[in-house]
Amino acid sequence: KNEVEQSPQNLTAQEGEFITINCSYSVGISALHWLQQHPGGGIVSLFMLSSGKKKHGRLIATINIQEKHSSLHITASHPRDSAVYICAVSGTSYGKLTFGQGTILTVHP
Amino acid sequence: DAGITQSPRYKITETGRQVTLMCHQTWSHSYMFWYRQDLGHGLRLIYYSAAADITDKGEVPDGYVVSRSKTENFPLTLESATRSQTSVYFCASRTAYSGANVLTFGAGSRLTVL
């Protein structure tokens, strides 16, 4: 069993829909990261969370430390949100990350 | 240019050849990392470095060598490339400040070993 599990692996939505991607982890962590990778593109850090909730534009990330679970929500999804979303956890101070397998999101117009 | 740059962005080589992927960052970040990304495996840590002249192995170090003689550079060398090393390689860096746990990634280097 992987230390970081994401669901779903693939997600297809229509423009405007509310989207949720889930991440569960099995180890103690100092922080959880949500990353975005567009096809053929680099990796961008969206959020770093150690507790609670963060919001940036249409993106919201939450974390429940007790349940070892995090969610990434996208409100009013748009085709440009189509990307791979990766959950990663860091358990040490130097930022070494353990990654989930990623969720492939496709938003159709 | 400010940021983290990788070169080459694309490389095709043959089995047995030596290949070096370069990574350069302009922030003087203490920590630097090399990851490889493969279908079915996600991102995996190859090597990391906490400072100049300090390096350590990650999850999949076999077949790779790194060095860090200067803070800003962290080259990754495949001493004798194999087909299993065909992958996309990402370099990343972060500051030593414990409150800033965000990694910044390079654009990636796509390596094909024939």
Side-chain angles (χ1 to χ4, degrees), chain A residues 30-31 33 35 37 40-43 45 48 86 90 92-97 99-101, chain B residues 9 31 33 35 37 40-45 48 59 90 94 99 101-103 105-107:
Chain A
S30 61
H33 306 252
L35 310 171
Q37 185 176 26
I43 300 169
S45 177
M48 183 190 74
I86 304 168
S90 54
T92 63
S93 61
Y94 64 78
K96 177 191 170 188
L97 299 182
F99 297 87
Q101 295 294 324
Chain B
R9 292 291 315 280
Y31 294 106
F33 306 83
Y35 295 92
Q37 185 178 40
H41 291 282
L43 283 152
R44 293 179 292 175
L45 181 65
Y48 66 95
E59 302 169 62
F90 287 95
R94 62 148 290 203
N101 208 9
V102 176
L103 280 179
F105 289 84

Side-chain angles (χ1 to χ4, degrees), chain A residues 4-72:
Chain A
V4 182
E5 295 274 356
Q6 286 184 236
S7 63
Q9 292 186 2
N10 288 278
L11 181 57
T12 301
Q14 289 298 124
E15 184 172 358
E17 287 185 354
F18 181 84
I19 288 163
T20 296
I21 300 170
N22 296 300
C23 175
S24 296
Y25 54 93
S26 57
V27 295
I29 66 170
S30 61
L32 182 141
H33 306 252
W34 282 102
L35 310 171
Q36 180 193 56
Q37 185 176 26
H38 281 101
I43 300 169
V44 175
S45 177
L46 297 174
F47 294 104
M48 183 190 74
L49 293 164
S50 53
S51 64
K53 174 181 173 179
K54 287 191 176 180
K55 184 175 188 291
H56 182 70
R58 295 180 294 106
L59 301 177
I60 303 165
T62 63
I63 188 169
N64 184 318
I65 298 294
Q66 287 73 31
E67 295 186 4
K68 292 187 166 66
H69 180 269
S70 175
S71 293
L72 176 69

